[in-house]
């Protein structure tokens, strides 16, 4: 058979971009296909309101057509994320210890353990140039054995106050490990959700450019829609692709195929390709993200600069009054004026400007437990459809964590706090779970190496493989796992 490359990768985010880089470094010829365009810098109106860097498809979500906040440029969500790269806890790989009969027994343990990813976490942190302080107390989540690649950014005064008041209250705040080079960072107030203007915030787009600059055999094509994987009885025999600008179609073939279009996009493509996988698209998860916003008496300048710097893991497994897993807490940037006006459309602009100079938000990450009815399907027009509802137990935990977060802000001096337990349905960050891996084909789509059980030359390395959603953001674990799987793919080719 005539092959166009050794490894064909679909999607350039935390999984696809990292695996493409690693396989090219190993001497394999790699072709990466990205549906979106090269990344570009834009203002708040074009970025967050117009959603220009985000996926341009309309997705049918819970019965309504929407444009969602899902990376739509080279680098996927890593071109737009906030840069926080946290390791999970050892116990995250054994979720049965936290949830017991709330989840099926076949998901009580992941098919791999934290130790299987430990060296790959180290590698991923180096690739993204993570800045952090490993001497701080991250318990019960993990930290590297050696130092992070970079020292953390200097703390903003409001965060110095936040950390000091929290420590006096018996908590263990830490500076978030961030994929941000402090030497190039402009301390922009507009960071999360935007393309970085200086490249200080690491992304897989930078890794791909670096691989090409080194002369490795890596080709990148943007603006390419993969319409179908040609699945034969035992293996894939190619992918049908369409150039979105010219409309030209062709079939591309490789020795190994790697799907990394996100938990929504990958599941949609597998389903549209006719895979006989009863679990494909099911168990779609994304974190419940309770939000607490504190309003202080005086302006603190947080709206003018970078303030997403502080994390808490004290409530990861609950508190003394509530013994249920809650997850990590981290600070957020102050919303821009246009987004704030969109969030509070009936509040006069003068009041919003007054509040914006005095507010500080923090966010929790609560695991969305797997539910087969939360799923991705293919609509009548061939496009993706998404159905998702948070369970009562998830909402209960989110509400409790919101109360604890409000307490953190009040101890830091906030006059009053407001909180919200559930995010907008347009936000699909941290998507995972739709093509879960496992040892038993009856309960999974992929084996422990993220290879499709029924099509062993196809691997899937985005967040689709997660059986449960962890208590931290998934980006670092996706990247570490992509490095693990890249070793397998490179050895087979």
């Amino acid at each position: 058979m005539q092959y166009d490359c050794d490894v064909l990768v679909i999607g350039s985010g935390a999984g696809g971009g990292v695996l493409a880089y690693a396989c090219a470094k190993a001497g394999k010829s790699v072709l990466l296909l990205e549906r979106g365009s090269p990344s570009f810098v834009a203002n708040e109106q074009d970025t967050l309101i117009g959603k220009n860097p985000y996926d341009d498809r309309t997705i049918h979500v819970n019965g309504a057509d929407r444009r969602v906040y899902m990376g739509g440029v080279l680098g996927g969500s890593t071109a737009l994320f906030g840069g926080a790269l946290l390791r999970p806890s050892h116990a995250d790989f054994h979720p049965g210890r936290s949830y017991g009969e709330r989840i099926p027994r076949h998901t009580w343990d992941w098919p791999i353990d934290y130790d299987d990813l430990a060296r790959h976490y180290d590698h991923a942190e180096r690739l993204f140039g993570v800045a952090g302080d490993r001497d701080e107390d991250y318990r019960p989540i993990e930290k590297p054995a050696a130092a992070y690649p970079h020292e953390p950014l200097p703390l903003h005064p409001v965060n110095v106050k936040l950390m000091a008041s929290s420590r006096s209250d018996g908590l263990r705040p830490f500076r978030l490990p961030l994929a941000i080079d402090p030497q190039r960072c402009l301390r922009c107030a507009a960071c999360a959700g935007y393309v970085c203007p200086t490249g200080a915030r690491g992304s897989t787009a930078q890794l791909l450019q670096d691989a090409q600059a080194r002369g490795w055999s890596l080709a990148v094509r943007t603006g390419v829609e993969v319409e179908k994987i040609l699945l034969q009885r035992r293996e894939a025999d190619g992918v049908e692709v369409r150039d979105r600008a010219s409309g030209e179609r062709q079939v591309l073939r490789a020795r190994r195929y790697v799907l990394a279009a996100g938990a929504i996009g990958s599941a949609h493509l597998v389903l549209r390709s006719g895979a006989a996988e009863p679990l494909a698209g099911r168990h779609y998860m994304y974190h419940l993200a309770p939000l607490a916003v504190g309003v202080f008496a005086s302006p603190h300048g947080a709206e003018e600069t970078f303030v997403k710097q502080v994390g808490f893991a004290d409530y990861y497994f609950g508190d003394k009054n509530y013994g249920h897993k809650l997850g990590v807490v981290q600070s957020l940037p102050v919303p821009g004026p246009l987004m704030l006006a969109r969030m509070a459309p009936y509040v006069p602009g003068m009041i919003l400007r007054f509040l914006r100079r005095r507010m500080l938000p923090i966010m929790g990450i609560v695991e969305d437990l797997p539910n087969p009815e939360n799923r991705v399907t293919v609509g009548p027009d061939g496009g993706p459809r998404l159905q998702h509802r948070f369970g009562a137990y998830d909402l209960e935990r989110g509400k409790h964590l919101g109360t604890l977060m409000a307490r953190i802000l009040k101890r830091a001096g906030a006059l009053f706090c407001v909180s919200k337990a559930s995010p907008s349905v347009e936000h699909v960050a941290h998507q995972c779970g739709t093509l879960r891996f496992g040892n038993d084909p009856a309960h999974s789509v992929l084996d422990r190496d993220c290879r499709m059980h029924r099509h062993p030359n196809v691997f899937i390395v985005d967040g689709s493989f997660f059986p449960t959603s962890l208590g931290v953001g998934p980006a670092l674990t996706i990247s570490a796992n992509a490095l693990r799987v890249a070793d397998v793919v490179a050895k087979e080719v």
Side-chain angles (χ1 to χ4, degrees):
M1 182 181 293
Q2 192 75 19
Y3 294 111
D4 296 283
C5 57
D6 293 327
V7 183
L8 188 147
V9 182
I10 304 167
S12 62
V18 167
L19 182 136
Y21 176 93
C23 285
K25 184 178 182 180
K28 312 306 172 185
S29 65
V30 180
L31 172 59
L32 184 141
L33 306 177
E34 167 57 49
R35 185 180 183 279
S37 62
S39 61
F40 56 93
V41 178
N43 57 28
E44 185 184 12
Q45 173 62 47
D46 292 335
T47 297
L48 297 183
I49 307 301
K51 303 178 182 176
N52 289 352
Y54 292 89
D55 195 292
D56 59 6
R57 285 173 289 190
T58 297
I59 297 179
H60 199 70
V61 183
N62 294 345
D65 291 337
R66 301 180 183 276
R67 282 279 310 282
V68 299
Y69 289 99
M70 181 166 65
V73 292
L74 186 65
S77 293
T78 69
L80 300 160
F81 73 156
L85 292 179
L86 290 163
R87 299 189 184 207
S89 164
H90 271 268
D92 278 308
F93 294 83
H94 306 282
R97 298 176 186 175
S98 296
Y99 301 119
E101 297 303 324
R102 295 182 186 275
I103 59 175
R105 284 185 175 267
H106 56 77
T107 58
W108 278 21
D109 298 285
W110 285 33
I112 61 172
D113 196 81
Y114 175 87
D115 293 336
D116 294 309
L117 289 179
R119 67 183 179 90
H120 301 297
Y121 281 123
D122 293 340
H123 189 182
E125 287 162 348
R126 292 195 300 273
L127 289 179
F128 282 96
V130 175
D133 184 355
R134 73 159 306 280
D135 291 332
E136 294 188 350
D137 191 346
Y138 292 78
R139 290 178 298 167
I141 61 174
E142 306 303 325
K143 61 183 179 181
Y148 283 105
H150 294 297
E151 292 295 316
L153 292 164
L155 282 172
H156 185 278
V158 74
N159 287 328
V160 173
K161 185 175 183 180
L162 178 66
M163 294 184 77
S165 62
S166 298
R167 284 179 175 142
S168 67
D169 202 30
L171 301 181
R172 304 185 304 274
F174 55 83
R175 283 178 284 186
L176 285 174
L178 297 166
I180 295 178
D181 182 349
Q183 301 303 314
R184 291 191 289 167
C185 180
L186 300 177
R187 315 291 198 274
C188 297
C191 184
Y194 293 79
V195 174
C196 182
T198 66
R201 193 181 65 227
S203 75
T204 52
Q206 295 171 355
L207 292 180
L208 298 171
Q209 292 161 3
D210 178 60
Q212 292 179 318
R214 294 171 181 267
W216 299 345
S217 183
L218 171 62
V220 176
R221 289 179 57 185
T222 57
V224 176
E225 183 91 49
V226 179
E227 298 190 325
K228 187 178 182 181
I229 307 171
L230 302 177
L231 298 175
Q232 304 299 322
R233 183 171 180 177
R234 278 290 298 164
E235 291 193 334
D237 188 33
V239 295
E240 292 182 358
V241 305
R242 174 177 56 85
D243 186 284
R244 299 185 67 202
S246 68
E248 178 185 351
R249 284 179 163 83
Q250 66 181 131
V251 173
L252 299 172
R253 290 186 167 88
R255 299 178 187 277
R256 294 293 181 272
Y257 302 89
V258 180
L259 186 50
I264 296 172
S266 290
H268 173 246
L269 183 54
V270 166
L271 290 167
R272 201 164 69 175
S273 301
E277 298 285 355
L279 292 179
R282 293 190 179 272
H283 304 102
Y284 167 71
M285 296 173 283
Y286 72 110
H287 284 131
L288 178 67
L291 180 70
V293 180
V295 177
F296 293 76
S298 303
H300 46 48
E303 82 285 1
E304 298 177 346
T305 188
F306 184 83
V307 292
K308 182 181 177 178
Q309 296 180 292
V310 182
F312 300 83
D314 301 84
Y315 307 126
Y316 206 78
F317 294 112
D319 66 355
K320 62 182 180 181
N321 299 315
Y322 189 80
H324 298 271
K325 185 178 179 183
L326 298 177
V328 77
V329 173
Q330 60 189 46
S331 57
L332 290 179
V334 176
L338 298 181
M339 281 300 289
L340 189 59
R342 187 180 179 189
M343 294 161 63
Y346 303 112
V347 179
M350 182 177 66
I351 294 177
L352 287 179
R353 288 190 292 274
F354 177 88
L355 294 174
R356 186 169 176 266
R357 298 177 63 207
R358 293 161 173 80
M359 68 170 51
L360 185 68
I362 59 176
M363 179 189 77
I365 292 179
V366 176
E367 280 192 87
D368 173 19
L369 295 190
N371 177 354
E373 298 308 310
N374 289 337
R375 61 187 301 198
V376 176
T377 56
V378 180
D381 62 350
R385 298 172 74 94
L386 188 60
Q387 183 67 34
H388 181 275
R389 293 283 188 272
F390 286 110
Y393 180 61
D394 303 332
L395 293 170
E396 173 195 303
R397 290 182 295 142
K399 183 178 180 180
H400 187 79
L401 186 56
T403 301
L404 296 173
M405 293 191 300
R407 182 187 303 168
I408 290 173
L409 291 169
K410 287 177 181 178
R411 293 291 176 88
L415 296 180
F416 66 91
C417 295
V418 294
S419 61
K420 180 182 178 183
S422 182
S424 162
V425 295
E426 293 182 358
H427 290 269
V428 295
H430 302 185
Q431 57 182 269
C432 60
T434 54
L435 298 162
R436 55 166 56 171
F437 75 162
N439 295 319
D440 185 353
H443 299 296
S444 58
V445 179
L446 313 174
D447 69 10
R448 74 184 305 275
D449 290 328
C450 294
R451 182 200 314 269
M452 292 185 73
H453 288 300
R454 293 173 176 83
H455 303 284
N457 65 338
V458 179
F459 295 80
I460 299 174
V461 296
D462 52 38
S464 302
F465 80 91
F466 282 33
T468 50
S469 58
L470 307 177
V472 297
L476 185 65
T477 296
I478 291 171
S479 296
N481 182 68
L483 292 167
R484 181 183 71 90
V485 175
D487 288 345
V488 177
V489 174
K491 288 176 183 176
E492 289 189 358
V493 174

